[in-house]
Amino acid sequence: MAAGTLTTVPVPAPRTIDRRVAGVAMVLGPLAALPLAAVAGLIVAGGVALGLPALAVAALALGAVALGSRGLHLDGLADTADGLGASYDRAKALDVMRRGDSGPTGVATLLFVLLVQTGALTGAIAHGHGIATAILSVLCGRCVLSLCCARGIPSARPEGLGATVAGSVPVLVAAVVLVLAAGCAALTPGFPWWRGVLAVALGYAAAAVLLARCVQRIGGVTGDVLGGCVEVAVAAALLATA
């Protein structure tokens, strides 16, 4: 479920999808995203070796990650922004998020977040630690899924991906994922230990702010909210290591 939902890696469909399976899948999100992180790192390494412009390399790496996840999280970010900007009426906001199109708020949000991500990764490449930054940010973005699906956080709808995974991760397990993420980030080569910890902290903080706003406005999480949290966490982690 983790690989099939979060990546384009071909895997058999899960035989059973219940709350236990959903919770474990969200916890394993970073492991499922390892191929995406590896591709991003390889593209940065290849681009640097070929002497390509840092901006172009950053765009290629982030584009590959988006392609490898079917644009799922970017779509979620745009839909979440449209919903939050549509109306203070919960039902109307959820209806806007359910549509397949993107409005001006969603498009602008998508553009700004991608500019931040690309600009930050460009800076990291220029400073010689682009490979580590690309890998760390991709994985950090997927680590926050366990936070977003922690027990006590409701689903905004009775159906959909959000309803399947909402509240499926025990709080203690979500905390362990955070500690492990920070510990692994501290060992990331290329910059001081505290920079990796800061990247994880800022990634989680950005996701938590968006998550709290969505719980307040639309009553909980949806699949779109999860995608939005992933993308803002990636952007914050990239900024911390730029």
Side-chain angles (χ1 to χ4, degrees):
M1 179 178 177
T5 302
L6 303 177
T7 75
T8 57
V9 176
V11 292
R15 293 188 180 89
T16 303
I17 298 181
D18 52 24
R19 291 189 62 76
R20 185 189 68 81
V21 172
V24 174
M26 294 300 98
V27 171
L28 294 178
L31 294 180
L34 277 174
L36 302 182
V39 168
L42 287 172
I43 289 176
V44 172
V48 170
L50 292 172
L52 299 178
L55 177 60
V57 175
L60 286 171
L62 292 171
V65 173
L67 184 64
S69 58
R70 302 184 188 89
L72 181 69
H73 308 309
L74 294 174
D75 176 69
L77 174 65
D79 287 344
T80 300
D82 277 334
L84 293 177
S87 169
Y88 283 99
D89 180 76
R90 175 177 176 271
K92 183 176 180 181
L94 286 171
D95 180 62
V96 169
M97 292 172 67
R98 189 181 285 110
R99 299 174 189 170
D101 57 351
S102 292
T105 305
V107 172
T109 300
L110 197 59
L111 176 63
F112 289 136
V113 171
L114 286 174
L115 281 172
V116 170
Q117 291 181 355
T118 306
L121 184 53
T122 299
I125 293 171
H127 285 84
H129 52 261
I131 299 173
T133 295
I135 294 173
L136 174 61
S137 62
V138 170
L139 298 180
C140 177
R142 279 66 184 173
C143 286
V144 302
L145 288 171
S146 56
L147 166 70
C148 298
C149 298
R151 199 151 291 163
I153 299 176
S155 172
R157 296 192 189 102
E159 76 287 336
L161 177 63
T164 304
V165 300
S168 61
V169 179
V171 175
L172 179 59
V173 174
V176 169
V177 173
L178 169 58
V179 172
L180 288 175
C184 292
L187 301 176
T188 305
F191 36 74
W193 67 268
W194 57 267
R195 187 68 70 85
V197 175
L198 178 63
V200 172
L202 288 182
Y204 266 78
V209 169
L210 178 57
L211 177 64
R213 181 61 174 157
C214 290
V215 170
Q216 177 191 33
R217 283 277 281 102
I218 62 174
V221 298
T222 66
D224 288 330
V225 172
L226 296 180
C229 288
V230 168
E231 291 298 337
V232 298
V234 169
L238 283 168
L239 278 177
T241 52

